[in-house]
Amino acid sequence: MTTFYLIRHGEPDWHTYKPLNLKGNGRDLVPLTDKGVKQIVEASADARLRAAELILSSPYTRAMQTAAILSRKLDLALQVEYDLREWQPDLTFEYDTEERMRELRDDYNRCGGIYPAGETRLWESRDRLLERLEGVLERYSQYSKVIVVGHGTLFGTLVGRSDIEQGEIVEYESPDRAR
């Protein structure tokens, strides 16, 4: 069985992207704030992380910066995994305002992450999100303990929580599968 230490990235500096008028996932290029860096430095001192063998990270800047801090503090190798990206509010990557992103999130929440019968939506379904996340975790099931740096909705969907704080560590044990 593998224990995954799911760590939500530190506080991002959302003000960085606003003057640039970036569309869709362009907003995911933002770095951490000073507070976000401190959150992760503090998290790196958690004794559970000392037994980890590897760090996996989402490709988004805020997650990679979080993972880089952990890698430096814990002296662990870092692997970036594209499928650790956050839930996609718009699979066309075209949404252009925070208001539109919130509308898509609200629709996702109203539908419980499941497309209504006979319909599709712009947003990524709950099943699709879990399929890609579980696929990543399965690829690393030969390890005993792995740190996984990612996002609130991504991890919250997996563990059934909507309140994961920035810099919080959530333990998750993968189902024991025949290897």
Side-chain angles (χ1 to χ4, degrees):
M1 183 161 311
T2 304
T3 300
F4 293 97
Y5 299 105
L6 310 176
I7 303 179
R8 184 177 178 195
H9 59 77
E11 179 184 77
D13 185 358
W14 294 119
H15 300 292
T16 302
Y17 86 94
K18 288 182 181 184
L20 301 175
N21 296 315
L22 299 173
K23 287 177 79 173
N25 288 70
R27 63 192 293 275
D28 294 316
L29 300 174
V30 302
L32 300 179
T33 62
D34 289 342
K35 177 182 176 183
V37 170
K38 289 176 188 170
Q39 289 169 327
I40 302 310
V41 168
E42 289 173 11
S44 73
D46 189 298
R48 295 174 291 178
L49 304 183
R50 300 282 174 232
E53 302 159 87
L54 177 69
I55 300 171
L56 305 177
S57 178
S58 157
Y60 294 177
T61 303
R62 60 191 182 271
M64 287 194 299
Q65 186 179 4
T66 296
I69 292 166
L70 292 167
S71 177
R72 186 180 74 244
K73 293 287 188 182
L74 300 169
D75 194 27
L76 289 174
L78 166 60
Q79 177 70 37
V80 176
E81 285 283 345
Y82 178 70
D83 281 341
L84 290 177
R85 66 193 181 280
E86 179 61 295
W87 166 76
Q88 302 297 150
D90 179 351
L91 293 170
T92 68
F93 298 96
E94 292 295 320
Y95 72 94
D96 58 357
T97 65
E98 287 182 47
E99 179 181 339
R100 180 63 177 142
M101 192 270 301
R102 281 192 287 278
E103 290 170 0
L104 293 164
R105 180 177 300 275
D106 290 347
D107 187 51
Y108 174 87
N109 289 335
R110 267 191 306 278
C111 295
I114 300 168
Y115 297 156
E119 297 181 31
T120 58
R121 295 289 204 262
L122 286 176
W123 41 261
E124 178 180 33
S125 71
R126 180 182 188 280
D127 289 344
R128 187 170 172 180
L129 178 148
L130 288 172
E131 182 180 331
R132 67 177 165 83
L133 173 55
E134 290 170 346
V136 171
L137 300 183
E138 179 65 26
R139 285 195 297 277
Y140 293 90
S141 64
Q142 74 273 19
Y143 292 92
S144 176
K145 297 182 185 304
V146 178
I147 296 169
V148 184
V149 178
H151 309 277
T153 302
L154 180 72
F155 293 154
T157 301
L158 181 67
V159 300
R161 285 184 52 197
S162 61
D163 63 343
I164 299 173
E165 299 290 329
Q166 292 161 336
E168 183 178 347
I169 302 167
V170 177
E171 285 189 43
Y172 174 78
E173 291 190 355
S174 66
D176 197 14
R177 297 184 176 149
R179 296 185 184 167

